[in-house]
Amino acid sequence: MTSEAEGPLGVGDVGDIDDMGPIDYVVIEFPGNRMTGKGLPLLVDLVDRGIIRIFDLMFVRKDLDGSVKALELRDFGGEVDLTVFEGASSGLLDQSDIDEAGRALEPGNSAGIIVYENTWAAPFARELRRGGAQLVAGGRIPVQALLASLDAMEVPSADE
């Protein structure tokens, strides 16, 4: 796995794999192709503080006919300033990733795909690897699922 030269958001040489933190990806859907940019300053802040390192940032759109295509940052026009993200591409994402993200989207919506390293966890992960451990499973619990579970626990039973 290789990557391009160091970019504006810490994208660059992957470095020694033994020193890396866990790598995650997210697909963030924007209904009706309406991206406000509200979360972008916070994303930049996470990078600036060394909490994450972005390997790839890509935007895709699913048209009403179901076709999915990658978008260039300039395709957003003046709606949102995305210039800070130019060059945030390591080459890890390919057409199969675009297609997979597209399957998760509703027609008429767009999404951002972010591949990032959890640099905050790198020291912990490094020490685990040095001790012979390896990550064999991981996952995410959507906030909505967590809230639904908590709400279900609060429902009093008929016996109460």
Side-chain angles (χ1 to χ4, degrees):
M1 174 166 45
T2 61
S3 62
E4 299 173 2
E6 188 75 22
L9 288 177
V11 173
D13 183 18
V14 172
D16 186 353
I17 192 133
D18 290 333
D19 291 330
M20 291 180 69
I23 308 299
D24 286 325
Y25 76 92
V26 292
V27 177
I28 303 164
E29 185 174 39
F30 301 102
N33 293 316
R34 290 184 316 271
M35 192 171 104
T36 64
K38 287 254 186 226
L40 297 178
L42 296 172
L43 180 63
V44 171
D45 182 59
L46 291 172
V47 173
D48 288 346
R49 291 190 293 140
I51 295 171
I52 65 170
R53 176 170 55 150
I54 295 176
F55 288 130
D56 280 284
L57 175 69
M58 176 183 287
F59 292 93
V60 298
R61 180 177 65 222
K62 186 170 189 175
D63 292 327
L64 294 176
D65 66 3
S67 62
V68 179
K69 73 174 190 173
L71 301 173
E72 297 293 328
L73 294 181
R74 64 180 164 271
D75 291 341
F76 289 95
E79 301 168 22
V80 179
D81 181 12
L82 298 172
T83 55
V84 70
F85 296 106
E86 287 178 357
S89 175
S90 69
L92 291 172
L93 293 174
D94 62 19
Q95 187 61 46
S96 66
D97 300 305
I98 294 169
D99 294 340
E100 184 176 339
R103 286 190 288 277
L105 297 178
E106 292 294 322
N109 293 347
S110 59
I113 306 169
I114 307 171
V115 179
Y116 61 97
E117 174 189 6
N118 291 285
T119 51
W120 61 270
F124 175 63
R126 179 180 52 248
E127 290 306 308
L128 289 174
R129 284 189 289 270
R130 286 181 180 165
Q134 63 181 347
L135 180 64
V136 295
R140 296 257 187 250
I141 300 171
V143 172
Q144 298 88 336
L146 176 65
L147 293 175
S149 292
L150 292 173
D151 286 346
M153 293 185 332
E154 291 178 11
V155 175
S157 66
D159 298 339
E160 295 181 358

